Amino acid sequence: MLLPRGSPPPLSALSQVLRLERSRRTAVVFPLQKLARYLAPGADTERFRLFQPGLAALQQAEELFRAGRHHAIRYVSSAVRMDHAPPAALPEVCFIGRSNVGKSSLIRALFSLSPEVEVRVSKTPGHTKKMNFFKVGKYFTLVDMPGYGYRAPQDFVEMVEAYLQERSNLKRTFLLVDGVVGLQKTDHIAVEMLEEFGMPYVMVLTKIDRASRGLLLKNVLEIQEFVKEKTQGCFPQLFLVSSLEFSGVHLLRCFVAHVTGNLPTVEAS
């Protein structure tokens, strides 16, 4: 299914978010920091704010995701094998996750300021069987990988392993985890694969608008502990997002811009 083109949705632009009252604004831009306020007194909150860009960096990152006359954002091609992939000419990020985790919906939200960009979202879990490449001007490429788990294509592992091992321009893998159910067995397999290949990656918790505050905090703390104790290549800060409400989307745009070398002044531990 091709999503209809039209005007950007509410809160997709930072200028709209800045009109909100302060508490609501923080919840949209920094949802993890908002959640940290409900921790017990004296709790360690360092991993809640490792990547904390200022307004100027957020605005600069947003412009990368806004197509213009001299800045084209477009779907380039799809591939089922690495020899079908476009040339590795730009810094690249890829998004992987379980089928029905909301991966394509999140990519649509990231590109929402450029509604002419066609992001294919399937109504059927596991329907996406190809790597879909999106070129963001002359700055970077974003790749939507096939979902794993339920109804995943049989050649998923072979396709993804080849991509992760051979794609020399890959700067960061974004592993999407359902914020309602937390880490599942299939997610652990994906983590093991990324760790085995020594790939730098980050975990993104999706669908946070569907989880109660208590459940979300429980899942966040459990996953943070897992990252601290069981991983080496995972960035220690989680990213929380809602593709529906745009919570965390602006921060994630900024992190993508940073890891692809387009925000060199922003520091991330």
Side-chain angles (χ1 to χ4, degrees), residues 3 25 34 46 53 70 82-83 86 97 128 139 194 216 235 248:
L3 294 164
R25 191 166 65 229
K34 177 75 172 179
E46 181 185 3
H70 302 291
M82 282 305 297
D83 55 0
T128 303
Y139 299 100
L194 291 165
L216 187 60
F235 186 63

Side-chain angles (χ1 to χ4, degrees), residues 163-258:
Y163 171 84
L164 293 175
Q165 289 183 303
E166 297 176 20
R167 203 65 172 171
S168 59
N169 59 329
L170 179 62
K171 299 301 181 184
R172 194 72 51 119
T173 296
F174 290 80
L175 174 59
L176 275 55
V177 175
D178 192 316
V180 179
V181 299
L183 281 172
Q184 301 294 294
K185 183 178 180 180
T186 47
D187 299 320
H188 284 276
I189 294 172
V191 168
E192 290 171 6
M193 179 173 61
L194 291 165
E195 289 286 333
E196 179 184 347
F197 296 158
M199 306 299 300
Y201 63 103
V202 60
M203 287 197 198
V204 180
L205 271 62
T206 63
K207 305 179 182 180
I208 64 171
D209 53 284
R210 299 186 186 182
S212 67
R213 187 172 67 207
L215 175 61
L216 187 60
L217 188 57
K218 171 181 174 290
N219 287 336
V220 164
L221 292 175
E222 287 180 353
I223 296 173
Q224 277 189 336
E225 189 63 24
F226 170 81
V227 169
K228 181 180 179 181
E229 299 295 332
K230 304 292 186 180
T231 73
Q232 292 184 321
C234 188
F235 186 63
Q237 177 180 316
L238 305 180
F239 287 79
L240 275 55
V241 296
S242 165
S243 301
L244 185 64
E245 299 178 349
F246 283 90
S247 301
V249 170
H250 305 86
L251 184 64
L252 192 60
R253 283 176 184 150
C254 199
F255 193 72
V256 169
H258 172 64

Side-chain angles (χ1 to χ4, degrees), residues 82 93-97 103-104 107 128-133 143-148 156 159-161 163-164 173:
M82 282 305 297
V93 294
C94 75
F95 284 65
I96 68 172
K103 180 163 44 63
S104 296
I107 294 172
T128 303
K129 293 176 169 60
K130 299 178 180 179
M131 301 177 283
N132 297 314
F133 292 79
V143 188
D144 181 7
M145 303 294 283
Y148 54 77
F156 170 82
M159 183 194 308
V160 174
E161 283 192 353
Y163 171 84
L164 293 175
T173 296

Side-chain angles (χ1 to χ4, degrees), residues 100-122:
N100 206 31
V101 76
K103 180 163 44 63
S104 296
S105 295
L106 175 56
I107 294 172
R108 174 186 61 178
L110 290 170
F111 288 139
S112 57
L113 298 173
S114 303
E116 67 277 8
V117 179
E118 296 178 345
V119 180
R120 296 176 181 271
V121 178
S122 172

